[in-house]
Amino acid sequence: MSVMKKKKLIAGNWKMNGSLAANEALLKALLQDIGAPACDVAVCVPAPYLAQVQALAAGSPIAVGAQDLSAQPQGAFTGEQSALMLKDFGVRYAIVGHSERRQYHGESDELVAAKTAAALANGITPIVCVGETLAQREAGETEEVVKRQLAAVIHVNGHCISEIVVAYEPVWAIGTGKTATPEQAQAVHAVLRAQLHHAASDHADGIRILYGGSMNAANAAELLAQPDIDGGLIGGASLKAPDFLQIIAAAR
Ligand code: 13P
């Protein structure tokens, strides 16, 4: 556990939701009541809305994030966005290796590691997602799965991993309303922390490990009170201003 207290990070993952009108209403509602939060705050928005949200959030405590990025610097990669393009829009964070991308787009541990490297090389903080499926948990493979996913990122990025954010998102808890208990989450976070210690001894305590998976206004405080839970990656509840604001307020 860290002796130096680090700021928690509360990041919303809007996934494929929003519209010009809905985003404006959501941002305005957040900005009206956010005040001076004790934690860092970000919203990871669909690529077409980066410019809009960047403009709305300019000068506010809300940083803008992307939900993915290309591992390639430029060129013939139809449909992809490079780290430099994201930089052009003031993007601070990029989610990498979300389970929905691993599942629906076949992203491998190696690709996730390469995307992490692309983000780091361009000053974008990657939020690297790891997590087991229900079948893997029931088979007792949770630790092995998350360690394998993180190991690939460590292998490619070496000591630079001190600049990453890790998000533990058990797949069975995403969008299901079935949250990991604080004890279940803490147990996995401790495993990840130990792995980070091994790889980046001096800096491991400074690396933020977020929890994601049905985190909401009612359960956030208890999860965030765990010693190795340094914030949250929030899907559904980040689309409702009052709920997201309550989670932000719980992160101190
Ligand atoms: P929910 O908060 O909707 O379960 O989504 C979690 C998630 O996948 C965040 O990246």
Side-chain angles (χ1 to χ4, degrees), residues 120 154 156-164 199-200 203 207:
L120 289 172
I154 292 170
V156 169
N157 293 278
H159 66 271
C160 296
I161 58 145
S162 60
E163 303 301 320
I164 73 174
H203 302 288
I207 299 174

Side-chain angles (χ1 to χ4, degrees), residues 132-151:
E132 83 287 2
T133 63
L134 184 59
Q136 289 166 331
R137 173 163 282 265
E138 286 175 345
E141 294 167 3
T142 298
E143 205 174 299
E144 178 190 329
V145 169
V146 298
K147 281 170 90 171
R148 188 201 70 223
Q149 291 171 332
L150 185 57

Side-chain angles (χ1 to χ4, degrees), residues 33-76:
D33 290 322
I34 196 165
C39 60
D40 290 333
V41 179
V43 288
C44 299
V45 311
Y49 298 124
L50 285 170
Q52 180 206 15
V53 175
Q54 177 59 32
L56 286 166
S60 85
I62 300 180
V64 178
Q67 297 175 9
D68 183 32
L69 85 172
S70 177
Q72 306 294 336
Q74 63 182 55

